[in-house]
Amino acid sequence: MSYNLYLSVILLAATCCSLIICYFCWKKRELPIVKSYGLGILASSFYTFGYAFEMISPNLDQIRFWLRIEYIGIPFGTALWVIMVLQYTGRQSWVRWWVVALLLVIPTITFAAHYTNEWHHLFYKSMTLDESEGFPLVALVKGPLYKLHVAYNYAFFIIGTILMIQMFRRATPRMKKQIAMMIIGSWGPYGFTLVYLCGLSYPIDISPFGFVISGIFYLWGIYQFNMLRLAPLVLQKVFATMQDAVMVFDMDHTLTSFNQSAIKVIEGISPKWIGQSVVQVFDQYPELLEKVVESPSREGRVQISSQMDTQFYHVHMSYISDTHQKPVGKMLLLSNVTETVRSEQRLLDNARQLSELNTFKDKMFNVVAHDIRDPLAVLVNLMELMEEENQDGGEDHREILHEMGQQIKNTFTLVESLLDWFRSQREGMVFNPVEWDLAHVVQSHLQLLQVRSESKHIQLVSEIPKDTFVYADKEMLDLIIRNLLSNAIKFTDAGGSIRLKANRTEDKMIVSVSDTGEGIPSEQAGTLLKETYPISLTGTAGEQGVGLGLTLCREFVRLNGGEIWFDRTSVQGSTFYFSIPTPAEASLVRPDSVKGEGR
């Protein structure tokens, strides 16, 4: 057997290696990069297969036939290889239809020129037989289109090699082995072709033997380093239909793939991020970085904020294993649970509001009992006086009866007003602010509390001028003033005085209630205006109460858009202040927002 037959067998073996690789690619055909890689290998198999029979052809006609077989794949091999390199190096976004069309312009010209060469001889100027090696070989004189074909191939081979070298330099040690196999395997056919073009192997074209080298390195890479795992093991079709965001990392924590849903979650992510480390990918998401780096099979919830909104995601991290149950990567799954979290928050808010409303209801019942008890107690005292007068037959009998009648009317008015107000609150705390003359409101309460103040000889003085208008809820304002006056009478010694003033600031009316009582003890001052129930104190004449009046005052002042505070002096008594909006500032108070605060 002559050595041309040995060379032919070697080329057929190289063709078999190429077809084996094509089979592996066909099994993983769901991945775009495997398609371009497999088609490139298939193109090379036409070259090696045709040249194997060209070397044993006895005449020029058969050689021309096998050359046509070779040129089914030769023109398109480099274009397919460049597309594969772009995908392999993370430049998938460059592979667009117009880019592919431009890459195929010269290969299409080469293909057409070779098959029509006998008409124009622009690809081969001449074709003759050379039997100097002991068997017939074709001697070719290259034309201008052949030189264009060679220039095209080596120009793009250099570009592709540079891209892979750049990827090799920034890759992790595990990935460098794969990339090195790709570079060495790619240099096989191009390096051998370069030797032939330089005349070092003339007349035998050793270019097809480069595919033998390529086949060895590619197969080695497939079995040793799983080189065809150029994308995640998760199928692209599954990725396309998943609503959850999925990101896949190799064991070196390098991003290998992600689905379309991940683009909506991770800001700025693009195919250019393929090959970057997890530290770079999650630079703005430390919680996700921690979950990827730590042991998988971890679950949790993270909050991801963007310029438009804040979303909540359930995070699941797990290993990806090969057929031998060996971990080859990690998969991060992000499920959007924003609506669930917000529903839970709404339920918690509603529960809190219900609890607050229930507490408020209890407070109101206590304070109503307190407000009704005081005037009824006065009625009892008056009745006792009347009984004594009836027994003694005193001259002030008519005056006492008059006072008792007035007090009964005031008590009836108060009870009727409170009951009406309670009926209006059945659907929740209704905030209905209108314009009121503060002086008139204060005078009505001074009259209501006149009997109590006179029984202790306390002087009630209002220095609030008429036409002092405020913007507030009438029932709430009544309760605030009534409680502050009642407390002032309670803690003022006999013969003292209580003064009410109102001073307008830039946007509020500041109302003050000052007394000459014993002041507020230091140990009690911190609890008067707090959420907790204050301790009830006994008044200067033994008066009792439930201690909730100031708590309700604070709530009602806040609902009306104001504040409440006090000054205390152990000798000169105390002064309570509260602010209330004026009609000019009514637009600053928003009833809907007040109602929405859980009251």
Side-chain angles (χ1 to χ4, degrees):
M1 181 183 292
S2 59
Y3 81 93
N4 67 318
L5 292 177
Y6 288 109
L7 295 177
S8 178
V9 171
I10 293 173
L11 290 178
L12 289 175
T15 302
C16 291
C17 291
S18 298
L19 293 177
I20 291 173
I21 295 176
C22 290
Y23 170 73
F24 282 116
C25 292
W26 179 81
K27 290 185 67 175
K28 295 181 177 289
R29 60 188 178 278
E30 294 87 357
L31 307 176
I33 187 172
V34 174
K35 292 179 182 178
S36 58
Y37 177 70
L39 289 174
I41 297 298
L42 181 62
S44 69
S45 65
F46 279 99
Y47 189 9
T48 55
F49 179 76
Y51 196 66
F53 286 96
E54 178 188 338
M55 294 186 68
I56 58 176
S57 297
N59 54 60
L60 194 60
D61 289 337
Q62 289 189 18
I63 290 176
R64 285 195 183 98
F65 172 79
W66 291 112
L67 273 174
R68 291 189 181 97
I69 298 298
E70 295 171 37
Y71 269 83
I72 294 175
I74 289 176
F76 305 101
T78 297
L80 293 169
W81 179 81
V82 169
I83 294 172
M84 184 270 296
V85 169
L86 292 176
Q87 295 170 328
Y88 184 67
T89 57
R91 295 172 173 83
Q92 174 70 37
S93 60
W94 294 12
V95 184
R96 302 185 179 182
W97 70 268
W98 60 270
V99 174
V100 175
L102 288 176
L103 285 173
L104 293 177
V105 170
I106 300 300
T108 303
I109 293 174
T110 299
F111 179 82
H114 183 272
Y115 275 81
T116 60
N117 184 69
E118 295 179 0
W119 301 348
H120 49 72
H121 298 286
L122 293 177
F123 197 79
Y124 296 132
K125 292 183 179 180
S126 64
M127 300 176 63
T128 58
L129 283 178
D130 183 353
E131 299 187 6
S132 60
E133 298 296 323
F135 54 88
L137 291 172
V138 66
L140 301 172
V141 178
K142 284 79 174 180
L145 292 182
Y146 182 91
K147 295 177 181 178
L148 175 64
H149 162 67
V150 172
Y152 167 85
N153 286 343
Y154 278 93
F156 278 99
F157 171 70
I158 292 172
I159 293 173
T161 302
I162 292 174
L163 294 178
M164 286 196 291
I165 291 174
Q166 289 178 344
M167 184 181 181
F168 178 85
R169 292 178 61 184
R170 66 171 185 266
T172 61
R174 181 183 178 90
M175 287 294 295
K176 283 185 177 181
K177 295 178 182 179
Q178 290 188 24
I179 301 170
M181 294 299 102
M182 290 290 292
I183 295 175
I184 296 173
S186 300
W187 265 93
Y190 289 97
F192 278 53
T193 301
L194 187 62
V195 171
Y196 169 72
L197 292 176
C198 293
L200 300 179
S201 64
Y202 185 82
I204 297 177
D205 183 1
I206 63 173
S207 302
F209 297 95
F211 289 101
V212 177
I213 304 298
S214 295
I216 294 173
F217 277 96
Y218 283 149
L219 286 176
W220 184 21
I222 289 170
Y223 283 105
Q224 294 296 320
F225 307 113
N226 196 17
M227 194 169 63
L228 285 182
R229 189 178 58 84
L230 305 178
L233 298 178
V234 184
L235 297 178
Q236 294 296 320
K237 290 182 179 179
V238 177
F239 269 20
T241 58
M242 290 186 66
Q243 297 298 318
D244 296 334
V246 180
M247 303 181 70
V248 181
F249 300 85
D250 62 19
M251 296 305 295
D252 295 315
H253 296 144
T254 299
L255 180 65
T256 61
S257 186
F258 58 87
N259 65 353
Q260 290 296 315
S261 296
I263 299 176
K264 302 175 183 178
V265 179
I266 307 301
E267 185 175 359
I269 191 172
S270 68
K272 296 181 180 179
W273 288 27
I274 300 294
Q276 292 187 3
S277 69
V278 67
V279 177
Q280 295 172 298
V281 173
F282 292 143
D283 180 45
Q284 300 179 7
Y285 309 96
E287 293 183 354
L288 293 178
L289 174 61
E290 180 181 354
K291 292 187 180 297
V292 174
V293 174
E294 291 182 358
S295 299
S297 300
R298 291 176 57 89
E299 296 188 5
R301 183 178 292 177
V302 298
Q303 175 180 332
I304 297 179
S305 301
S306 64
Q307 296 179 353
M308 302 296 295
D309 194 8
T310 298
Q311 299 289 312
F312 296 88
Y313 294 89
H314 177 78
V315 182
H316 178 76
M317 192 75 192
S318 61
Y319 277 118
I320 299 174
S321 301
D322 59 16
T323 55
H324 303 290
Q325 300 304 311
K326 179 183 178 181
V328 294
K330 298 178 180 180
M331 181 175 68
L332 179 68
L333 182 67
L334 298 172
S335 303
N336 194 317
V337 293
T338 303
E339 288 303 318
T340 301
V341 172
R342 290 176 178 171
S343 296
E344 291 175 356
Q345 187 60 48
R346 284 193 292 267
L347 289 174
L348 291 174
D349 290 341
N350 290 338
R352 178 181 57 81
Q353 291 178 9
L354 288 173
S355 177
E356 291 179 352
L357 287 172
N358 190 55
T359 302
F360 179 78
K361 177 200 68 176
D362 294 339
K363 293 179 182 180
M364 282 303 304
F365 280 128
N366 280 284
V367 80
V368 167
H370 176 266
D371 283 343
I372 295 177
R373 180 181 177 277
D374 280 352
L376 291 179
V378 173
L379 284 176
V380 172
N381 292 333
L382 288 174
M383 289 299 297
E384 291 176 353
L385 289 174
M386 188 178 71
E387 290 176 356
E388 293 176 1
E389 291 296 330
N390 285 337
Q391 292 175 1
D392 299 336
E395 297 179 356
D396 297 329
H397 180 67
R398 291 184 179 179
E399 182 179 352
I400 293 174
L401 290 176
H402 174 76
E403 289 295 338
M404 187 177 70
Q406 186 63 41
Q407 189 63 32
I408 291 173
K409 290 180 180 178
N410 291 338
T411 303
F412 178 79
T413 301
L414 171 62
V415 172
E416 186 179 52
S417 178
L418 287 172
L419 290 176
D420 289 341
W421 185 74
F422 276 128
R423 281 193 292 268
S424 70
Q425 306 306 307
R426 288 178 181 175
E427 300 300 325
M429 176 59 69
V430 178
F431 181 71
N432 184 29
V434 293
E435 185 176 329
W436 294 98
D437 186 342
L438 182 61
H440 177 73
V441 175
V442 169
Q443 286 297 331
S444 65
H445 288 288
L446 292 181
Q447 294 175 7
L448 180 64
L449 298 171
Q450 183 176 358
V451 174
R452 282 188 58 195
S453 62
E454 289 181 352
S455 67
K456 297 181 67 173
H457 304 287
I458 295 174
Q459 182 181 11
L460 298 179
V461 179
S462 174
E463 298 180 3
I464 301 175
K466 292 183 179 181
D467 299 329
T468 301
F469 293 101
V470 295
Y471 188 78
D473 183 280
K474 175 61 166 57
E475 304 299 340
M476 294 182 183
L477 183 61
D478 283 343
L479 188 143
I480 294 167
I481 295 175
R482 184 168 62 250
N483 271 280
L484 292 180
L485 283 173
S486 179
N487 283 342
I489 295 172
K490 179 179 178 181
F491 296 106
T492 300
D493 293 319
S497 63
I498 299 173
R499 293 183 179 274
L500 290 90
K501 298 180 181 180
N503 296 313
R504 177 167 181 155
T505 61
E506 294 182 358
D507 59 349
K508 303 281 186 180
M509 186 70 69
I510 307 298
V511 182
S512 63
V513 181
S514 304
D515 62 64
T516 58
E518 59 186 13
I520 303 171
S522 300
E523 60 273 14
Q524 302 297 333
T527 64
L528 288 179
L529 299 176
K530 300 299 183 181
E531 286 285 353
T532 55
Y533 290 91
I535 299 174
S536 177
L537 299 178
T538 302
T540 57
E543 299 99 326
Q544 297 294 328
V546 294
L548 294 172
L550 285 178
T551 302
L552 288 174
C553 286
R554 181 184 63 81
E555 293 295 324
F556 284 170
V557 168
R558 183 181 64 84
L559 290 174
N560 279 275
E563 297 178 354
I564 186 170
W565 67 98
F566 63 87
D567 291 334
R568 62 187 180 87
T569 304
S570 59
V571 178
Q572 299 178 356
S574 59
T575 302
F576 279 81
Y577 302 89
F578 68 92
S579 60
I580 205 78
T582 58
E585 302 300 327
S587 60
L588 299 178
V589 180
R590 295 176 294 180
D592 292 338
S593 64
V594 174
K595 181 179 179 181
E597 292 181 355
R599 288 289 186 270

